[in-house]
Amino acid sequence: MPYIEDPDDLQWYREQFGDIWQSATLTFSSVEVDGVQIPNGELEFSREPGEESTEVLYRKGALSIYEVNSNSPFNLLEQIIDGEIPADEGKAKIESELRRHNPSNYFQDGVREGRVRETRPRMEINAAVSIDVPEDIEDEYSEVVDELDDQLMRAEEPYYDLGRCEGYYFDYIFRSDRENPAILLFADSGMEFSIDDSDTLEVVSPTSLFEDLFVSVLPQKPYDEHKGWQIEFDEEQLESMEDGRSRYTEELHLEDIDELYAVLYLEDEMVNMVEHNTGDVVPENPRYEIMQAFDQDNNLEGYLEGHNADYFEVAVVNALSTAGWLVQWYGDDSFVIPSFSEDVPRAQYQEIDVIAYHPENTQILFIECTNQDISEKEQILDRTEAISSVIDDYHIPTDIGLIQPLQTVPCVATPQKPEELNDDVVSEFEEKGIEILHSERLRAIYAASQDTTDTVDADTQFIEVI
């Protein structure tokens, strides 16, 4: 999506969006230190006209909350960039600078949850105006902010004095980095992009932008059977709207395409992407959805590749359990169970890190996790054989015959990539029946778990992946 990164950009935005953006609302909190107001909040552009107004929402001690409404949004933005942020008359101006802003760190766009609002449109122009705190008051400003933060921590209600200040009392913390105050800019681009159930593409945009817009259609399923194509907009097919925008519609002939991605571009900038399913939608594995909800930065896959040695073993546990395996974790140092060794009952305890069993499978995985050279982990075979002999006693006859014997599979899990493994060691482990779960295999097990609501077919998954 386009960004306002420089005051010189404003002329381009005036030309493209002057008829779209009718008003702007500046809501900000301001901490006063030695007569200097340090603001922090947001400027939101709207396609709806408003009423000119300036209001003090709250004032107590060093903190004030303001709301400024303007029907000249660009003039208000230029005023902020010039360091003339509206506040009490007679207050000293402070320096400010327009810069690019990454919205994913601040608000929820349907995937990531941030700290501003949860109702932001995915397509919007955005930027930030950085506020420079004068050096001579930096320390005192920090002290005042700490005092206000302490009031929040000790407050009986979630937001101190919430009712009186209409929810904005501590926005100076939540709107941006508390040590680097900023006015965040959000402006609805006026663009709409969708494909409906009848496979009709609809694009709504400011009319002047259509000459630089195009859609890239990328079929996904069935795999490798269809090539993508590009849709450019013929001006004669545009339907004019009353608010300076135009609408384009086209019926897509998708035939046997079950799933596709459609990406809207403004020149070389991706504006938005939609996923469209035409066939039966296969819901994701709920365990995978839960993991993705918690792991929004995809850290798990990085841990499986050894990005943090301390988390590798836990990552293996989570990858298997997400894929439907029933996992017992014995590698935690705080959890010690008796050794299976009968020859030396008082021998120093040696655990197997992870034991995993799948309800739809006869395999039991005995996994030793290591960040060392895997050739040092041959002792796993002895321990696996000892446990296997115990499991053999549990084959219970029934009226329909014997339960299928369980197959114990000794494994060594390592964050190493296949090319990093020693060929001689790999051959030796294969001869001994020890499977090596390197990072690519672990990631494949985890990735395979996202496509089904049923427990993953462990025989297919494990054997094919391994």
Side-chain angles (χ1 to χ4, degrees), residues 62-75:
L63 186 64
S64 299
I65 310 296
Y66 299 89
E67 181 178 276
V68 179
N69 295 290
S70 173
N71 286 326
S72 302
F74 284 103
N75 292 342

Side-chain angles (χ1 to χ4, degrees), residues 59-225:
R59 175 170 292 155
K60 183 177 181 180
L63 186 64
S64 299
I65 310 296
Y66 299 89
E67 181 178 276
V68 179
N69 295 290
S70 173
N71 286 326
S72 302
F74 284 103
N75 292 342
L76 180 57
L77 176 59
E78 289 177 346
Q79 184 179 356
I80 293 171
I81 294 173
D82 291 337
E84 299 177 354
I85 299 171
D88 290 350
E89 294 183 3
K91 302 297 182 183
K93 297 180 181 179
I94 64 173
E95 298 296 324
S96 59
E97 179 183 2
L98 188 66
R99 63 179 173 84
R100 180 166 177 163
H101 167 57
N102 179 7
S104 64
N105 290 337
Y106 290 90
F107 65 91
Q108 182 173 351
D109 64 0
V111 178
R112 297 180 180 275
E113 183 175 353
R115 286 187 168 183
V116 181
R117 293 186 181 176
E118 298 180 357
T119 56
R120 296 287 180 201
R122 287 185 63 108
M123 294 183 290
E124 57 184 11
I125 315 301
N126 60 81
V129 178
S130 300
I131 309 299
D132 292 331
V133 180
E135 293 184 2
D136 59 338
I137 65 170
E138 281 184 350
D139 292 341
E140 188 173 351
Y141 169 75
S142 180
E143 291 178 5
V144 172
V145 171
D146 286 340
E147 291 174 1
L148 294 171
D149 191 27
D150 183 61
Q151 293 180 38
L152 171 64
M153 298 300 293
R154 293 185 293 104
E156 294 183 2
E157 296 186 17
Y159 288 59
Y160 183 77
D161 215 0
L162 180 63
R164 292 179 57 193
C165 64
E166 301 182 23
Y168 289 107
Y169 192 98
F170 281 95
D171 276 9
Y172 71 92
I173 291 177
F174 295 113
R175 293 299 166 101
S176 66
D177 186 338
R178 53 178 290 185
E179 296 180 356
N180 299 283
I183 301 294
L184 305 184
L185 167 66
F186 297 98
D188 182 353
S189 67
M191 296 183 187
E192 300 171 11
F193 180 51
S194 64
I195 302 176
D196 64 18
D197 293 339
S198 62
D199 300 338
T200 299
L201 170 74
E202 179 179 86
V203 180
V204 177
S205 168
T207 304
S208 59
L209 293 182
F210 265 104
E211 59 181 325
D212 296 319
L213 285 172
F214 69 91
V215 172
S216 179
V217 180
L218 307 171
Q220 299 298 303
K221 293 180 181 179
Y223 296 107
D224 300 326
E225 295 188 18

Side-chain angles (χ1 to χ4, degrees), residues 140-399:
E140 188 173 351
Y141 169 75
S142 180
E143 291 178 5
V144 172
V145 171
D146 286 340
E147 291 174 1
L148 294 171
D149 191 27
D150 183 61
Q151 293 180 38
L152 171 64
M153 298 300 293
R154 293 185 293 104
E156 294 183 2
E157 296 186 17
Y159 288 59
Y160 183 77
D161 215 0
L162 180 63
R164 292 179 57 193
C165 64
E166 301 182 23
Y168 289 107
Y169 192 98
F170 281 95
D171 276 9
Y172 71 92
I173 291 177
F174 295 113
R175 293 299 166 101
S176 66
D177 186 338
R178 53 178 290 185
E179 296 180 356
N180 299 283
I183 301 294
L184 305 184
L185 167 66
F186 297 98
D188 182 353
S189 67
M191 296 183 187
E192 300 171 11
F193 180 51
S194 64
I195 302 176
D196 64 18
D197 293 339
S198 62
D199 300 338
T200 299
L201 170 74
E202 179 179 86
V203 180
V204 177
S205 168
T207 304
S208 59
L209 293 182
F210 265 104
E211 59 181 325
D212 296 319
L213 285 172
F214 69 91
V215 172
S216 179
V217 180
L218 307 171
Q220 299 298 303
K221 293 180 181 179
Y223 296 107
D224 300 326
E225 295 188 18
H226 301 275
K227 292 184 178 180
W229 68 93
Q230 186 169 304
I231 299 175
E232 297 184 350
F233 306 111
D234 186 345
E235 291 186 4
E236 296 182 358
Q237 294 181 251
L238 299 182
E239 175 190 352
S240 298
M241 303 174 68
E242 296 180 355
D243 57 0
R245 299 185 298 165
S246 293
R247 177 186 289 109
Y248 175 88
T249 58
E250 179 176 327
E251 183 178 349
L252 303 179
H253 301 287
L254 303 181
E255 300 175 346
D256 60 340
I257 296 175
D258 294 331
E259 180 180 325
L260 62 81
Y261 295 128
V263 185
L264 179 64
Y265 284 93
L266 177 62
E267 295 183 335
D268 60 350
E269 185 85 27
M270 185 177 78
V271 176
N272 200 5
M273 180 180 75
V274 296
E275 180 179 359
H276 182 62
N277 293 284
T278 60
D280 294 332
V281 178
V282 179
E284 290 183 338
N285 172 3
R287 293 182 297 270
Y288 183 85
E289 291 186 27
I290 292 169
M291 176 60 72
Q292 289 296 296
F294 279 94
D295 186 19
Q296 296 183 7
D297 293 326
N298 295 320
N299 287 326
L300 178 60
E301 293 190 21
Y303 295 151
L304 293 174
E305 296 176 345
H307 292 180
N308 188 316
D310 293 337
Y311 299 156
F312 174 68
E313 190 170 307
V314 180
V316 171
V317 170
N318 278 280
L320 288 171
S321 61
T322 300
W325 295 78
L326 304 178
V327 180
Q328 293 169 281
W329 181 33
Y330 299 109
D332 186 355
D333 292 339
S334 63
F335 181 61
V336 177
I337 62 173
S339 170
F340 274 94
S341 174
E342 297 179 359
D343 297 333
V344 187
R346 295 186 180 181
Q348 182 178 1
Y349 172 71
Q350 288 185 330
E351 85 288 347
I352 290 177
D353 294 325
V354 178
I355 298 178
Y357 167 71
H358 202 289
E360 299 179 1
N361 186 292
T362 59
Q363 294 172 331
I364 299 182
L365 311 185
F366 295 90
I367 306 172
E368 179 75 8
C369 300
T370 179
N371 286 294
Q372 304 171 4
D373 189 325
I374 62 172
S375 62
E376 299 181 9
K377 294 296 178 180
E378 296 182 22
Q379 67 268 30
I380 187 176
L381 186 60
D382 296 332
R383 276 180 271 159
T384 301
E385 290 176 347
I387 297 174
S388 177
S389 65
V390 176
I391 292 175
D392 288 341
D393 297 335
Y394 290 91
H395 296 158
I396 304 173
T398 66
D399 293 339

